[in-house]
Amino acid sequence: QVQLVESGGGLVQPGGSLRLSCVASGFTFSTYTMKWVRQAPGKGLEWVSSISGGGGTNYRDSVKGRFTISRDNAKNTLYLQMNSLKPEDTAVYYCIKGTAATPSSQGTQVTVSS
């Protein structure tokens, strides 16, 4: 049974940083592309970043240079380091396995506000 558990969200001032984690279980983590998506209040799901099993990364333009996705295959854990946070980054962040279109986990709330 696939299980993904996100953590690390919180309230942070503009310009601050957070590091999100996603612990995976129930599948061979190292062989799957993983991605972070987010959903802001009143808006649809938005792709943020992806990382392949081999470590290749992609980012949406609005987070390039501020966010870094990484993974530790030995720990079955996906990360998202978020720096220089902006109010428009406020959302619930979810990790997703492979090509799934929607999250199956609870997500973690990130709120950027002064």
Side-chain angles (χ1 to χ4, degrees):
Q1 179 181 352
V2 173
Q3 187 170 18
L4 300 167
V5 180
E6 302 94 342
S7 62
L11 173 64
V12 63
Q13 292 187 341
S17 298
L18 285 173
R19 189 195 196 201
L20 307 184
S21 299
C22 169
V23 178
S25 60
F27 63 101
T28 306
F29 178 76
S30 62
T31 65
Y32 282 88
T33 290
M34 297 293 296
K35 54 191 177 188
W36 287 99
V37 299
R38 66 188 180 187
Q39 187 163 26
K43 296 189 177 181
L45 211 58
E46 178 178 85
W47 170 77
V48 176
S49 181
S50 299
I51 184 167
S52 69
T57 59
N58 285 288
Y59 301 91
R60 72 179 299 107
D61 286 347
S62 62
V63 308
K64 283 181 182 176
R66 300 188 298 121
F67 290 11
T68 303
I69 191 172
S70 62
R71 65 193 300 162
D72 185 335
N73 290 334
K75 295 182 178 180
N76 286 356
T77 303
L78 176 72
Y79 302 101
L80 186 68
Q81 177 67 44
M82 305 187 297
N83 299 329
S84 302
L85 282 160
K86 303 176 180 180
E88 51 263 43
D89 295 318
T90 295
V92 179
Y93 284 71
Y94 304 89
C95 60
I96 291 184
K97 162 185 170 281
T99 58
T102 57
S104 60
S105 49
Q106 294 292 324
T108 186
Q109 174 71 50
V110 172
T111 303
V112 185
S113 175
S114 55

